[in-house]
Amino acid sequence: METRSNHVLVGAVVLILLAVLALFTVWIARLGGTQQKEYDIFFKQSVDGLARGSQVTYSGVPSGQVKSIQLWRNDPQFVRVRIEVSQDTPILQGTAATIQGSFTGTSTISLDGARKGAPPIVCPERDPGSVCPYGVPVIPTRTGGLGAILNSAPQLLERLSTLTERLTGLLTDRNQASIAGILENTNRLTDALADRGPEIAATLAQTRIAVAQAGTAAEQIGNLAATTNGILAEDVKPTLANLNETIRSARQSTETLNSAIQDARPGLQTFSKQTIPEVNQLVLDLRQMSAALASVAEKVDRQGAGALVGQQKLPDYKGK
């Protein structure tokens, strides 16, 4: 009984010493290591190759490791990755996370893009749950590098398969025969052009000569136009001067006639208002006098000159 009690005591002492040693080891490790900071990253892509303990680098410098990986309960399209990095890692505004894959199957998380002088990424004091749903700051993501190529590989392979099918449908026996006919016709046309090479060269030479002659003719026409302009300028100037003098004289004559009309206007008004009525009366009197003279002449013709002296004697009356 006493022996069993000694063994229990020894075992308890050993366990206590081991616990103290473990605590001491952890304490030493914390003293010797650097303090870590934790961040969450929400990837909307496959995280193949990542696992707990995967390396986290900042601009290629090892800075931490992946602490946990799990699907986000609020949206299964996202994968929440918790990382821890050293305290002196500059996680500033503008920093973004990408997955760097490799052909060996392992992947790492790469951080970069921080702006100089920018504030660090922290959880806000007001409403931190909307920005930091799990109590730690969130680093935004960016697709790039080999990870982007690997993620787009299925779509690329699908498009290549579709293109291959279309090319297969295009290159049927009938289409191949048509393409062969087109190539044969092209060869014939090329041979015909090669046979007509000297004629085409001669035509081009004649065309160059015609263009040169046309240029010379255009130059001569320009010179003729300049000469004509000079002749017109020298010969037309005197004529224009005479024409201007004539127009000036006609204008003076018109002004003189207008003045004369203005001066004669009172006399014309008097003539129209007084003289014309008197002339009309005179013409009327002359007409009456002509009528009277005509009556006298007719009377003389019928009765003789005595009619002008006395009255005509009445015939004697004889009774029955």
Side-chain angles (χ1 to χ4, degrees):
M1 193 70 182
E2 184 177 357
T3 304
R4 182 178 296 176
S5 299
N6 292 334
H7 289 301
V8 171
L9 180 60
V10 172
V13 171
V14 172
L15 290 176
I16 292 172
L17 290 176
L18 290 176
V20 171
L21 181 61
L23 292 175
F24 180 76
T25 303
V26 172
W27 181 69
I28 292 296
R30 289 184 177 179
L31 289 178
T34 58
Q35 189 175 359
Q36 302 289 317
K37 295 184 297 183
E38 293 185 350
Y39 296 90
D40 279 339
I41 305 173
F42 293 89
F43 289 103
K44 193 178 181 180
Q45 65 183 75
S46 175
V47 293
D48 290 338
L50 284 182
R52 295 184 60 181
S54 295
Q55 190 177 34
V56 177
T57 63
Y58 192 96
S59 297
V61 178
S63 302
Q65 62 182 359
V66 175
K67 186 175 181 181
S68 65
I69 301 175
Q70 58 184 352
L71 293 175
W72 190 25
R73 293 191 301 270
N74 296 340
D75 190 351
Q77 293 182 356
F78 291 89
V79 178
R80 183 173 69 90
V81 178
R82 174 70 61 89
I83 65 172
E84 56 181 7
V85 296
S86 59
Q87 184 70 26
D88 57 351
T89 303
I91 308 297
L92 308 178
Q93 295 291 336
T95 301
T98 58
I99 296 178
Q100 298 292 336
S102 63
F103 292 102
T104 60
T106 60
S107 300
T108 61
I109 294 179
S110 176
L111 305 176
D112 59 4
R115 298 189 300 270
K116 181 180 180 180
I121 297 177
V122 295
C123 294
E125 297 180 358
R126 294 183 179 180
D127 193 15
S130 60
V131 180
C132 305
Y134 291 94
V136 296
V138 176
I139 299 176
T141 62
R142 180 177 64 246
T143 303
L146 184 60
I149 298 175
L150 295 177
N151 289 329
S152 61
Q155 292 83 359
L156 180 60
L157 292 176
E158 183 178 359
R159 293 177 181 177
L160 288 175
S161 177
T162 303
L163 179 61
T164 304
E165 292 177 358
R166 292 182 178 179
L167 289 176
T168 303
L170 179 63
L171 297 177
T172 59
D173 295 338
R174 181 177 178 181
N175 292 338
Q176 290 180 1
S178 299
I179 295 173
I182 293 172
L183 294 176
E184 185 177 358
N185 293 332
T186 303
N187 291 331
R188 291 179 181 176
L189 179 60
T190 304
D191 294 338
L193 290 176
D195 295 337
R196 295 296 181 88
E199 298 179 2
I200 295 174
T203 302
L204 292 176
Q206 293 178 0
T207 303
R208 285 195 294 268
I209 295 172
V211 170
Q213 292 177 353
T216 304
E219 184 178 0
Q220 293 176 356
I221 291 173
N223 296 332
L224 178 61
T227 304
T228 305
N229 291 333
I231 293 173
L232 290 175
E234 296 298 330
D235 294 344
V236 171
K237 284 182 180 179
T239 304
L240 292 177
N242 294 333
L243 180 59
N244 292 332
E245 185 66 26
T246 303
I247 293 172
R248 192 179 299 109
S249 300
R251 185 179 299 169
Q252 293 177 357
S253 300
T254 303
E255 292 177 356
T256 304
L257 180 59
N258 289 333
S259 300
I261 292 173
Q262 292 293 334
D263 296 338
R265 183 171 295 175
L268 292 174
Q269 292 179 355
T270 303
F271 178 77
S272 61
K273 293 181 179 180
Q274 297 179 4
T275 305
I276 290 177
E278 294 177 355
V279 170
N280 290 334
Q281 186 63 37
L282 177 60
V283 171
L284 182 59
D285 293 342
L286 289 175
R287 288 180 179 176
Q288 292 177 357
M289 185 177 67
S290 297
L293 291 175
S295 178
V296 171
E298 182 180 0
K299 191 175 183 180
V300 170
D301 290 337
R302 288 199 308 265
Q303 300 178 9
L308 298 175
V309 178
Q311 294 182 349
Q312 181 180 3
K313 185 177 180 179
L314 295 174
D316 292 338
Y317 177 76
K318 295 179 179 182
K320 294 180 181 180

